[in-house]
Amino acid sequence: MKTLKTNRIFQGDCIAIMESLPEKSVDMVFADPPYNLQLGGDLHRPNNTRVDGVDDAWDKFASFAEYDDFTRRWLAAARRVLKDDGTLWVIGSYHNIFRVGASLQDMGYWMLNDVVWRKTNPMPNFRGRRFTNAHETLIWVAKSESSKYTFNYESMKELNEGLQMRSDWTLPLCTGAERLKDAEGAKVHPTQKPESLLYRVIMASTNPGDVVLDPFFGTGTTGAAAKKLGRKWIGIEREQDYIDAARTRINSVEEISDTSLLVTPSKRSEPRVPFGNLVERGMLKPGDVLYDPRGKAVAKVKADGTIVSAEHKGSIHKVGAAIQGAPSCNGWTFWHFKTGDQMVAIDLLRQKLRAEMAGKELN
Amino acid sequence: MKTLKTNRIFQGDCIAIMESLPEKSVDMVFADPPYNLQLGGDLHRPNNTRVDGVDDAWDKFASFAEYDDFTRRWLAAARRVLKDDGTLWVIGSYHNIFRVGASLQDMGYWMLNDVVWRKTNPMPNFRGRRFTNAHETLIWVAKSESSKYTFNYESMKELNEGLQMRSDWTLPLCTGAERLKDAEGAKVHPTQKPESLLYRVIMASTNPGDVVLDPFFGTGTTGAAAKKLGRKWIGIEREQDYIDAARTRINSVEEISDTSLLVTPSKRSEPRVPFGNLVERGMLKPGDVLYDPRGKAVAKVKADGTIVSAEHKGSIHKVGAAIQGAPSCNGWTFWHFKTGDQMVAIDLLRQKLRAEMAGKELN
DNA sequence: AAATTAGTTGAATCTAACC
DNA sequence: CGGTTAGATTCAACTAATT
């Protein structure tokens, strides 16, 4: 009978190494596999600086079929080491996550949630040809439909100021001091995940003393978060540079007992409401007429949330300022609409919309 | 040669009906297919019949295969009616979206974005055994990697108050007056989508006059939003009750008469002005000196509309790029000329010329 | 010392028209 | 079809330099 050695990094291929570990010995697997990005040539920012993209060999696959084959093999190995009541998390982007999700279902894993990591500070879309890619997707599965999996509902609720934790998590990228750099100041790993993400994953789905395994360990974010939270960990990684960085990093981590310290306070400030939202939601229609407070100047609402007057066009604030010859203008209080023979400021509509959203804009 | 009849609902199976429509005739497809929900341990087929005795992996696989088969068939029919530069949207939840996404990729569709609809008011998780399911996922694809698809970047940016639209959209569920109810006050359709969601989808990826097809029309949210935004629409639906509700609903929608309120012109769509035209028209003379934004680097205008600096010669763009050592450069905003002691970008002259040209076209 | 400004950077399938 | 060229395009955080 093999015993499981924890709190260590195994170097090598994650499939072979997982196959060598005792079966049904791990409580949770967190996996951040290659995304199979398929990037083309260089990408430059509008200021002509070059984006330092992911071009590592480990992210290259010849075809979807090859990627699927790789996915199924590591998922099978993970399934073997996972306890029957254990769960597994995978993170990915639209390049790979749909394939991973379908494979998970095909292999008998039972989906519990898909969770969206909303990035507060994503990289913009520099060419203006798509929506800003501002999120990544995590899939959380149990080993089977009948698993008695761990979910720390109360902890999650506390973490979210007394409201149920939702399936969308708003967290920043890993930057600044948290981001590991080499001697030359270059990032050690191209896609280091923020520890805050792993805190939440580990706290939600494991208990203190549980074993967390990460088959794509990289620079050890999973190990660092697990140690902080009093969980045991196992990392598997091929690259020596990543392993060195992870060892140093995890050695310097101190366990914390007071997990309330991990709470990331949610923003309670009033949500910003773009004027266009009123139009989208039918509170105002394209073609509706807006009036200045005296009912003289007029402007028409456009479908995209801008407005046009006889001489100006742009946002409610811009056109309001231009009409008054003022440097700035609060369009919300300047512009009015007619309802019956009353004139009402459009700010009323904003207040209405905020009231609908009140208490519901979590995170 | 078949012609495409628009602004109507076809009753029947969406695959058969799409196969009967002319090929490459539709600009955009929006699809909200059955979700294959697995509630209470029972699996449901896309047609809502129950699958018997399913608690082993083989049966699950068989059922997923059936759902995949259905998915691939309607996606193939949609692909046929879609123009080569058209795009397709699908919305789903974790029950089905991963399978749909993988099928899309397998069939040669090219992913542009996955978009998350964050619900402001989701249904809470009553048992406290999972995260509150607070979002759904949309996938936006082009027909192929080389498609010249429509994306109204500027409109989306305006709608988001001057910032790029992100891949996460915060919108409420369809409730209140918008939610269609029958005579007894029961909801007509179990999963009626909010019009605000369709408003954004349609405005982002189509132009006024384009044809939008929805193969799972339900109560016609897609048709209502399309009509509001001056797009043509085609709905396919099997259930008579839904069709009746959709007809009444769409008939009561008013179209905008002033279609100029529907679009934000992009810079890309403005007429191209060769730099040489400025010289031809005497707005700049051969020998005139151009400066970079800091007033340091200089170049002289030649009669043929090229420029020469100390070390480079060629177009305004080429020389600007060479001087900066950059891969590219927008010469219109880079180069300036002196008027009095002011430095003005040559783009101003282009704007002047465009204004003159627009005036002439009106005559 | 504190505040302001300038520079850097992040899992990115990132152009379109013309010859 | 491929190759060439015109020319359009960025947000939030953090760090370093400057006032």
Side-chain angles (χ1 to χ4, degrees), chain B residues 3-24:
Chain B
T3 53
L4 186 68
K5 293 175 181 169
T6 57
N7 301 339
R8 64 180 58 198
I9 306 174
F10 295 90
Q11 182 163 23
D13 171 63
C14 71
I15 297 169
I17 288 171
M18 283 195 281
E19 285 171 350
S20 75
L21 298 176
E23 64 174 346
K24 300 186 182 183

Side-chain angles (χ1 to χ4, degrees), chain B residues 101-302:
Chain B
S103 289
L104 283 165
Q105 291 179 314
D106 290 341
M107 294 172 72
Y109 285 103
W110 187 248
M111 283 206 185
L112 299 171
N113 277 112
D114 60 335
V115 170
V116 170
W117 168 29
R118 297 180 68 216
K119 303 174 184 179
T120 55
N121 47 350
M123 185 173 340
N125 184 288
F126 293 113
R127 299 209 173 169
R129 294 295 297 139
R130 302 181 182 198
F131 298 100
T132 304
N133 217 325
H135 75 276
E136 291 186 28
T137 301
L138 299 99
I139 303 178
W140 182 39
V141 293
K143 197 166 166 180
S144 76
E145 184 177 355
S146 57
S147 290
K148 303 262 179 282
Y149 59 92
T150 297
F151 178 54
N152 293 314
Y153 175 76
E154 288 79 10
S155 294
M156 286 297 104
K157 197 170 171 179
E158 292 294 351
L159 205 57
N160 195 35
E161 289 213 320
L163 293 177
Q164 289 190 337
M165 186 68 81
R166 298 166 40 115
S167 58
D168 57 310
W169 302 351
T170 304
L171 297 167
L173 290 170
C174 179
T175 56
E178 190 188 332
R179 188 79 194 229
L180 299 178
K181 303 275 173 61
D182 64 18
E184 285 78 43
K187 46 196 178 192
V188 177
H189 193 282
T191 64
Q192 186 182 341
K193 296 289 175 292
E195 264 184 50
S196 57
L197 187 72
L198 270 296
Y199 192 99
R200 201 175 285 188
V201 163
I202 292 170
M203 188 157 42
S205 58
T206 65
N207 294 309
D210 280 0
V211 178
V212 178
L213 183 147
D214 185 337
F216 307 99
F217 203 56
T219 49
T221 307
T222 302
K227 185 175 177 188
K228 272 189 193 171
L229 288 169
R231 274 73 167 172
K232 297 176 197 139
W233 55 271
I234 297 169
I236 307 175
E237 175 55 51
R238 288 188 305 202
E239 305 285 330
Q240 188 64 53
D241 288 352
Y242 297 165
I243 292 174
D244 294 341
R247 284 224 172 91
T248 311
R249 171 188 191 180
I250 296 172
N251 283 337
S252 73
V253 168
E254 280 178 50
E255 274 186 75
I256 316 180
S257 48
D258 183 356
T259 52
S260 73
L261 298 173
L262 294 177
V263 287
T264 301
S266 72
K267 286 191 187 170
R268 284 180 228 267
S269 65
E270 289 196 272
R272 197 170 275 205
V273 176
F275 176 71
N277 285 15
L278 303 190
V279 187
E280 266 178 0
R281 314 264 302 245
M283 299 169 98
L284 284 171
K285 291 192 301 294
D288 278 355
V289 180
L290 301 181
Y291 303 83
D292 78 353
R294 290 179 202 160
K296 277 183 176 174
V298 296
K300 275 191 183 173
V301 176
K302 290 180 67 176

Side-chain angles (χ1 to χ4, degrees), chain A residues 38 45 94 123 126-127 129 133 179 187:
Chain A
Q38 307 170 50
R45 300 185 180 82
Y94 67 82
M123 185 156 76
F126 296 119
R127 281 346 226 329
R129 293 300 294 141
N133 211 337
R179 188 82 193 224
K187 52 193 178 192

Side-chain angles (χ1 to χ4, degrees), chain A residues 297-301 307-314 319-320 322-323 335:
Chain A
V298 296
K300 274 192 184 174
V301 174
I307 63 176
V308 275
S309 70
E311 297 187 338
H312 307 283
K313 61 182 176 179
V319 176
I323 279 180
W335 292 107

Side-chain angles (χ1 to χ4, degrees), chain A residues 97-115:
Chain A
I97 199 66
F98 301 108
R99 316 203 69 82
V100 172
S103 289
L104 282 165
Q105 290 178 313
D106 290 343
M107 294 172 72
Y109 284 103
W110 186 250
M111 279 205 191
L112 300 171
N113 277 111
D114 59 336
V115 170

